[in-house]
């Protein structure tokens, strides 16, 4: 048995089964649909297909992060089991949850000064965050200590590449990432922006492609350009999607045809309700390890 727990937020957007299989603990964010509150618990309380259907029908969604009090209770429950904690938060470029987790850690360590509670900004989101957690689980199972894992993730977290596109600009307009005028023009021209998560963990529009086929090609080209060892890439690759599985499958098939040495087939997950509230349905995100993000 390990003397520590690997932990993250539910916004790592893997499945409950995957987290259980890899022995990764998680704490849930929160969201609301038309004023009714739910936990972001990987689709258990509110199935993903129903959530994205509600969004498409005009439902208003909001999200809220884990509170300091929730983190304190969560960390204490683990420490009472005699375990130390390595907790990675959703990127600080997207959420303020790092601050809440850090405050909670400090409060818990005042009460349990002999314990170790590491809180790390993942600088990652969705299944890219999940891919990073899965890699830490691999390294843990290979025998790394909590201190070694902490040092490893600080050094390597920016090697987790995130590239995604959206097919409906209205949700980016609502979130202020695209102007209303640009959204109207882009919608008329069938513009699909290609975005990534930058070195500060922020969502950045990198290019604008006209049509779904063009943006898929541009997305896969980024993996060819940036993946560790190029077309010889031999680590795992994850894709997450918001109610557009067939499009995600198209991307996965293309990746598998171009990268014959992948570790396992591409895994496809659903974008959770927290991230999905801001990207909307019709989003496909691609995650892999590669060159360190420098901008």
């Amino acid at each position: 048995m390990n003397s520590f727990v690997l932990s993250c937020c539910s916004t790592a957007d893997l499945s409950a089964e995957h987290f259980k299989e890899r022995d990764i603990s998680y704490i849930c964010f929160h969201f609301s649909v038309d004023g009714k509150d739910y936990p972001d618990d990987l689709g258990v309380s509110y199935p993903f297909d129903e959530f994205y259907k509600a969004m498409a029908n005009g439902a208003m969604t909001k999200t809220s992060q884990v509170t300091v009090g929730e983190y304190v209770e969560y960390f204490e429950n683990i420490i009472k089991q005699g375990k130390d904690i390595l907790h990675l938060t959703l990127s600080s470029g997207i959420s303020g949850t790092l601050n809440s987790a850090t405050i909670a850690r400090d409060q818990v360590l005042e009460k349990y000064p002999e314990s170790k509670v590491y809180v790390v900004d993942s600088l990652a989101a969705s299944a890219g965050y999940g891919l990073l957690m899965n890699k830490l689980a691999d390294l843990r199972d290979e025998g790394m200590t909590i201190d070694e894992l902490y040092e490893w993730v600080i050094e390597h977290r920016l090697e987790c590449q995130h590239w995604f596109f959206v097919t409906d600009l209205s949700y980016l307009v609502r979130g202020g990432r695209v102007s209303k005028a640009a959204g109207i023009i882009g919608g008329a021209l069938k513009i699909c922006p290609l975005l990534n998560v930058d070195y500060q963990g922020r969502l950045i529009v990198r290019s604008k492609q006209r049509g779904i086929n063009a943006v898929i090609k541009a997305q896969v080209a980024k993996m060819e350009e940036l993946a560790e060892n190029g077309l010889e890439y031999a680590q795992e690759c994850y894709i997450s999607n918001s109610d557009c599985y067939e499009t995600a499958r198209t991307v996965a098939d293309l990746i598998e045809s171009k990268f014959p040495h992948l570790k396992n087939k591409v895994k496809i997950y659903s974008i959770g309700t927290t991230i999905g509230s801001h990207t909307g349905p019709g989003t496909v995100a691609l995650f892999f390890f590669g060159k360190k993000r420098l901008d």
Side-chain angles (χ1 to χ4, degrees):
M1 294 291 289
N2 289 298
S3 61
F4 62 91
V5 169
L6 277 181
S7 172
C8 62
C9 310
S10 60
T11 45
D13 285 353
L14 303 185
S15 65
E17 293 77 16
H18 190 132
F19 282 128
K20 182 177 181 180
E21 178 184 334
R22 297 314 315 274
D23 193 19
I24 298 170
S25 181
Y26 60 91
I27 186 169
C28 296
F29 268 55
H30 312 276
F31 70 99
S32 67
V33 179
D34 288 335
K36 186 173 181 181
D37 296 328
Y38 302 90
D40 178 3
D41 56 4
L42 311 175
V44 175
S45 298
Y46 203 123
F48 294 131
D49 57 345
E50 295 181 16
F51 174 76
Y52 288 114
K53 183 177 180 180
M55 285 192 78
N57 289 335
M60 294 302 298
T61 60
K62 293 183 179 180
T63 63
S64 59
Q65 63 193 39
V66 183
T67 67
V68 172
E70 288 171 326
Y71 272 123
V72 167
E73 181 180 6
Y74 174 73
F75 289 157
E76 278 197 337
N77 285 339
I78 295 172
I79 288 171
K80 288 176 181 177
Q81 298 170 33
K83 305 279 190 176
D84 294 324
I85 304 165
L86 174 58
H87 179 78
L88 271 64
T89 69
L90 177 63
S91 172
S92 61
I94 296 172
S95 166
T97 194
L98 173 66
N99 186 55
S100 298
T102 301
I103 293 170
R105 176 205 62 198
D106 293 345
Q107 292 183 9
V108 166
L109 288 179
E110 286 184 8
K111 189 173 181 180
Y112 303 94
E114 301 303 314
S115 297
K116 289 182 181 178
V117 182
Y118 289 121
V119 171
V120 177
D121 183 355
S122 73
L123 298 172
S126 193
Y129 180 12
L131 182 64
L132 190 58
M133 294 304 304
N134 195 70
K135 179 67 174 180
L136 289 174
D138 286 342
L139 296 172
R140 174 202 62 199
D141 294 348
E142 291 170 10
M144 272 198 184
T145 66
I146 188 173
D147 301 295
E148 291 170 333
L149 286 172
Y150 172 75
E151 292 174 2
W152 186 93
V153 75
I154 293 296
E155 174 64 26
H156 295 282
R157 58 189 168 176
L158 288 175
E159 294 167 10
C160 187
Q161 289 278 342
H162 302 51
W163 290 91
F164 65 100
F165 63 82
V166 298
T167 56
D168 186 341
L169 295 174
S170 63
Y171 301 98
L172 294 182
V173 171
R174 183 194 298 178
R177 300 192 183 278
V178 173
S179 70
K180 187 173 182 181
I184 293 171
I185 295 170
L189 296 176
K190 296 184 178 180
I191 297 296
C192 297
L194 180 66
L195 304 92
N196 84 329
V197 174
D198 74 356
Y199 74 108
Q200 293 181 308
R202 304 169 301 180
L203 304 182
I204 305 291
V205 177
R206 295 299 188 180
S207 69
K208 297 174 183 177
Q209 307 294 325
R210 192 165 183 178
I212 188 77
N213 291 332
V215 78
I216 287 174
K217 289 179 181 178
Q219 184 183 47
V220 174
K222 284 297 181 182
M223 184 166 176
E224 294 180 65
E225 173 191 351
L226 299 169
E228 178 183 283
N229 298 319
L231 295 177
E232 300 298 309
Y233 181 72
Q235 298 207 57
E236 295 217 63
C237 174
Y238 290 176
I239 290 174
S240 58
N241 78 101
S242 52
D243 200 35
C244 52
Y245 177 83
E246 292 305 320
T247 304
R249 185 68 257 172
T250 297
V251 176
D253 289 343
L254 190 55
I255 294 293
E256 289 172 0
S257 71
K258 287 179 175 287
F259 296 86
H261 304 292
L262 288 173
K263 181 181 178 181
N264 303 315
K265 294 290 188 179
V266 175
K267 292 185 175 68
I268 301 177
Y269 296 98
S270 290
I271 294 175
T273 48
T274 296
I275 305 297
S277 291
H278 301 284
T279 63
T283 300
V284 175
L286 172 65
F287 310 102
F288 55 92
F289 289 105
K291 295 177 182 178
K292 186 169 286 189
R293 290 176 262 154
L294 299 175
D295 64 356

